[in-house]
Amino acid sequence: MSDSAIHSIAGAAGGIVAMSATYPLIFLSTRAAVETKKEQKSTYQAILDIIKREGVLGLYSGLNSSLLGIAVANGVYYYFYERSKETILRSRSSKALSTLESMLAGLIAGSATTIISNPIWVIQTSQAVHTIGTDAGQLVVAKKLGFIETVKSIIAKDGIAAFWRGIGPALILVINPIIQYTAFEQLKNFLIARRTSKLRAAGVVAAVAVLSDWDFFLLGALSKLVATSFTYPYIVIKSRLQAGTANSLRYKSSLDGLLTILKEEGVEGLYRGIGSKVTQSVLTAAILFAGQRRIFEVTKAALQPIIKA
């Protein structure tokens, strides 16, 4: 089995762990991004309101499709990223990607991931916002739909094409992992080079610094913080389009959606739910980068006897 395939397995497993740990924050940011009302609530108050209306399990609506989505998305992304990285590095002797090369590998991996996984995120978003409804101005709880029920509901209502709702802003958001992985690679290369120089200056001539799990955790968190902060307005647009709400169906394009939100809700509308999203994204990325590396090493070591046989 190639390293790219093992990276894919490790990425999928790491994503499932990270998603399971942080899902309530994803749920809250999705709800906030889709709701267009002016009322502002703290994350704490939003949690209390959802628990009151839907119970604790309400914070996990759409978790099943999210776990499938993150497994597919991370598996596909890591496979294409590592395969692209291997192809680039084989053409020369260097073991590190330049900034432009990191961006190219991220563009290839991100585009493939977006096209393949978009239907799953449409289902997840639909499940997350399905219980949003009004009755005389009050929020009411609708019947929760399972994965298959949600698929049938989307097809019956809008047809197969609905599974690629929001594909425009989703493709634009390929820039998010490009920024994230480019920042990660360059920070990682900088840290390794700096520590290696210190080791060699101390007299360890052939030394090459090795990063710890904690280093990967912090680098993953920092790189995701940068990426999400830059791209959040398009995350709002993507969530609204994938939810298929009446308001979002008025948007003629991603740009029209941005301008409409600015006009009707102000700048704050483009950043609705950013607090819980940034917290979730940073934690997820930190857990993913640390976990993926460790799972990769364990999986590769476990497969070595089989490969040699």
Side-chain angles (χ1 to χ4, degrees):
M1 184 180 289
S2 68
D3 279 3
S4 297
I6 299 174
H7 272 294
S8 177
I9 294 170
I16 288 172
V17 172
M19 178 69 77
S20 299
T22 63
Y23 186 76
L25 291 170
I26 297 176
F27 176 80
L28 289 170
S29 65
T30 300
R31 279 283 184 92
V34 171
E35 291 180 321
T36 58
K37 58 185 180 179
K38 294 290 185 180
E39 181 184 358
Q40 296 291 323
K41 293 180 182 178
S42 66
T43 299
Y44 177 71
Q45 186 59 51
I47 291 172
L48 291 182
D49 287 351
I50 291 170
I51 291 176
K52 181 179 178 180
R53 293 197 309 268
E54 305 168 39
V56 174
L57 293 180
L59 294 171
Y60 292 87
S61 293
L63 176 61
N64 54 351
S65 52
S66 287
L67 292 179
L68 174 61
I70 201 68
V72 171
N74 279 5
V76 171
Y77 193 93
Y78 271 100
Y79 179 81
F80 279 95
Y81 186 84
E82 293 298 329
R83 178 66 73 179
S84 300
K85 182 178 176 181
E86 288 172 9
T87 302
I88 294 169
L89 293 180
R90 268 202 303 266
S91 65
R92 52 189 176 75
S93 58
S94 175
K95 293 185 178 181
L97 295 178
S98 68
T99 300
L100 286 177
E101 288 168 341
S102 293
M103 293 176 71
L104 175 60
L107 177 63
I108 294 169
S111 298
T113 302
T114 297
I115 293 169
I116 292 170
S117 66
N118 199 76
I120 300 173
W121 296 122
V122 169
I123 295 167
Q124 183 273 330
T125 304
S126 296
Q127 288 182 305
V129 304
H130 178 70
T131 53
I132 297 178
T134 59
D135 182 9
Q138 298 297 316
L139 280 171
V140 296
V141 180
K143 177 190 174 186
K144 290 184 175 65
L145 298 180
F147 186 87
I148 301 301
E149 289 176 309
T150 304
V151 170
K152 291 179 179 178
S153 174
I154 292 171
I155 293 174
K157 183 180 177 183
D158 301 309
I160 295 292
F163 290 110
W164 278 271
R165 284 191 304 233
I167 191 67
L171 284 171
I172 293 173
L173 280 169
V174 166
I175 194 173
N176 185 297
I178 288 176
I179 294 172
Q180 177 187 353
Y181 281 81
T182 299
F184 177 83
E185 286 287 341
Q186 300 313 307
L187 287 170
K188 182 183 74 172
N189 294 341
F190 171 77
L191 194 57
I192 290 174
R194 183 179 179 183
R195 290 182 181 177
T196 298
S197 296
K198 287 184 177 180
L199 287 172
R200 292 180 179 178
V204 188
V205 180
V208 176
V210 177
L211 300 185
S212 66
D213 289 344
W214 182 242
D215 291 324
F216 276 86
F217 185 92
L218 291 177
L219 291 177
L222 183 58
S223 60
K224 190 61 176 181
L225 176 61
V226 172
T228 300
S229 299
F230 272 109
T231 61
Y232 191 76
Y234 270 98
I235 293 175
V236 170
I237 295 292
K238 178 174 75 78
S239 294
R240 291 190 182 185
L241 289 173
Q242 289 181 338
T245 58
N247 280 323
S248 67
L249 294 178
R250 297 181 295 124
Y251 305 154
K252 298 180 180 67
S253 65
S254 300
L255 178 59
D256 181 60
L258 287 173
L259 295 175
T260 301
I261 292 173
L262 275 173
K263 180 180 178 181
E264 297 180 355
E265 304 170 47
V267 175
E268 65 270 20
L270 294 175
Y271 290 89
R272 199 177 298 280
I274 191 171
S276 53
K277 180 61 180 178
V278 167
T279 303
Q280 177 273 325
S281 294
V282 169
L283 284 174
T284 297
I287 295 169
L288 172 61
F289 275 92
Q292 193 273 344
R293 170 178 172 267
R294 183 61 63 193
I295 294 169
F296 171 80
E297 292 173 350
V298 171
T299 303
K300 188 170 183 177
L303 289 174
Q304 278 302 115
I306 300 174
I307 295 172
K308 289 181 179 179

